[in-house]
Amino acid sequence: MKIGVVGTGAIGSFYGAKLAHGGRDVHFLLKSGFEKVKRSGIRIRGKKENFHVAGVQGYKTADAIGPCDLVLIALKATNNEALLQLIPPLLHQRTILLTLQNGLGNEDFLAQHFGDDRVMGGLCFICLNRISPGLIEHLDYGHLTIGEFIGSPKSRTRALAREFQQSSVVCRVVDNLMEERWGKLVWNIPFNGLTIAAGGITTEDILRDDSLHSAALVLMNEVIEGANSCGYNLPREVAVEYMKRTETMGAYKPSTLLDFEAGRALEVEAIWGEPLRRAQANGTAMPRLEQLYALLKSLNARRK
Amino acid sequence: MKIGVVGTGAIGSFYGAKLAHGGRDVHFLLKSGFEKVKRSGIRIRGKKENFHVAGVQGYKTADAIGPCDLVLIALKATNNEALLQLIPPLLHQRTILLTLQNGLGNEDFLAQHFGDDRVMGGLCFICLNRISPGLIEHLDYGHLTIGEFIGSPKSRTRALAREFQQSSVVCRVVDNLMEERWGKLVWNIPFNGLTIAAGGITTEDILRDDSLHSAALVLMNEVIEGANSCGYNLPREVAVEYMKRTETMGAYKPSTLLDFEAGRALEVEAIWGEPLRRAQANGTAMPRLEQLYALLKSLNARRK
């Protein structure tokens, strides 16, 4: 199986390196980090694992990679337009596109331009930090949840999960990918959003402040209602469970906050805008999300 | 009528100077600006008027002022605790306390500590900028709306309005002071709040951005509902009227945003917290205000 990786931030570098380290035939599309990664490879370092991939198959263009059986897509969703140029050279008739991007709308974008059938999605539950091109710090977690964009899991879905599992990535196949995405947003919408809008605070700061704790909880419930108005079936207990899990995280800064503080673009539409629009299209007002989205869009446009 | 002024920021200096310029016996409690104001007086400069009050009666302590017939209170609401020391020396049995402070809760605070009967409130519709102690720039507007904290206007209410009118301050007496305060909050809650939380933008930025424009409008409606749940009777058209008026303001930065940018404390409780609590106590959820309040409280605690 020939695998292409588009987007070599933390996520693309990590899962690509895991597959390459597991003996898969992985081809990385590299931009600014090309020279360094060709020379020094990719290093994953962390408490649980520490490994190095030498002789990385790196390329400056998608044409140089050519058609793949699987393409991992890990670009920022804000750069999706670039995929219109990057993906076509990587396609043959049965190429699978697996988006590891955040939020809603990325599978739809790929399906619209490259066909429903080839699109799959993955949710990454992982804390990573990209120190420099080819140097990734693995802080915590690491499992992947994958599913089909259209319909239930097929034999190819399970086969893909095995590819990851054989490269020592815990990978689970889910029946309803979009329900999983909404489920993840129940956490991401409040915690990624409020840590930014409240002035650059940690998840712990939210939990310790009565008003922010309450704001996070009611926003979680709003997202659950929004999801369910779109036909999903998220139990209300999800919010309470997430709160408990957040309590174990300590003074955590979500990656979007780190992005924001570093002046990088936020995936405002994928994480906040698209869920809002979908719930509204189904007749559900999401007053808190609507306000938070407006604020984040403004903050994002004015980030330093 | 002997008049004391406590709080010589822009509001206290301006209205105190107007009364002094109109020939009233005005005594200013001065802190950091004592030397300068004693030496140079108070100057009000602006397009509409430009005058100077020489020989200002300024004092370093409330004891030095002694009992007054009227005390204008124009401290930041965040400093209300200081009033517990500052007010008593200014009181005789019939001293009127007129708070010109923002938001809700200030009359209640005064009534609780100094008695219901003497408390009146005023809303200032004015754009001022305090350049330095004793130097105030008058940018726009200037009228005052006053009323009784408890009950309907009395002869003293109208007499006080005449004091201002005779000093060329447009002053109107209102039947229901608290309804007026809520009415002003219909504008202040969204515009003072969103300009800060959206990253330091102007009222024009809000009007030009579809999401923020909508966020401001729905928040206005939420405040109207909150007010009416507390027994007031604000018509829904207030929101539309305010929007129209805001369109004439240009790229205006509300004073709270200027305060925030200068690192000064926000009156978070008076403007956002207290209205929220009052509506909630009357069984009305204010989801947007609740979230905005939580964000502003956090931003205020972390201001530079």
Side-chain angles (χ1 to χ4, degrees), chain B residues 8-30:
Chain B
T8 46
I11 292 283
S13 300
F14 177 82
Y15 288 104
K18 289 290 279 187
L19 291 167
H21 192 57
R24 268 63 195 171
D25 179 27
V26 185
H27 303 255
F28 294 85
L29 181 64
L30 298 164

Side-chain angles (χ1 to χ4, degrees), chain A residues 194 197-199 201 205 209 211-212 214-215 219 287-288 290-295 297-299 302, chain B residues 194 197-199 201 205 209 211-212 214-215 219 287-288 290-295 297-299 302:
Chain A
L194 296 174
I201 62 175
D205 293 326
D209 178 302
S211 297
L212 285 169
S214 162
L219 191 47
R288 298 168 184 89
E290 191 178 19
Q291 185 185 67
L292 184 59
Y293 166 63
L295 293 175
K297 212 164 48 154
S298 173
L299 290 168
R302 283 159 186 83
Chain B
L194 296 174
I201 62 176
D205 293 326
D209 177 302
S211 297
L212 285 169
S214 162
L219 190 47
R288 297 168 185 89
E290 191 178 19
Q291 182 173 269
L292 184 60
Y293 166 63
L295 293 175
K297 212 163 49 154
S298 174
L299 290 168
R302 282 159 187 82

Side-chain angles (χ1 to χ4, degrees), chain B residues 160-173:
Chain B
L160 180 54
R162 276 195 299 276
E163 289 288 318
F164 281 106
Q165 288 155 359
Q166 285 163 9
S167 298
S168 75
V169 171
V170 176
C171 185
R172 192 168 65 98
V173 170

Side-chain angles (χ1 to χ4, degrees), chain A residues 195-214:
Chain A
T195 53
I196 295 169
I201 62 175
T202 68
T203 53
E204 194 172 65
D205 293 326
I206 290 180
L207 297 183
R208 283 185 181 170
D209 178 302
D210 282 351
S211 297
L212 285 169
H213 186 286
S214 162

Side-chain angles (χ1 to χ4, degrees), chain B residues 7 24-25 43 61 108 119 125 144 156 214 249 254:
Chain B
R24 268 63 195 171
D25 179 27
R43 173 162 294 283
T61 67
D108 307 70
V119 179
F125 296 86
L144 206 57
R156 74 169 187 188
S214 162
M249 288 185 186

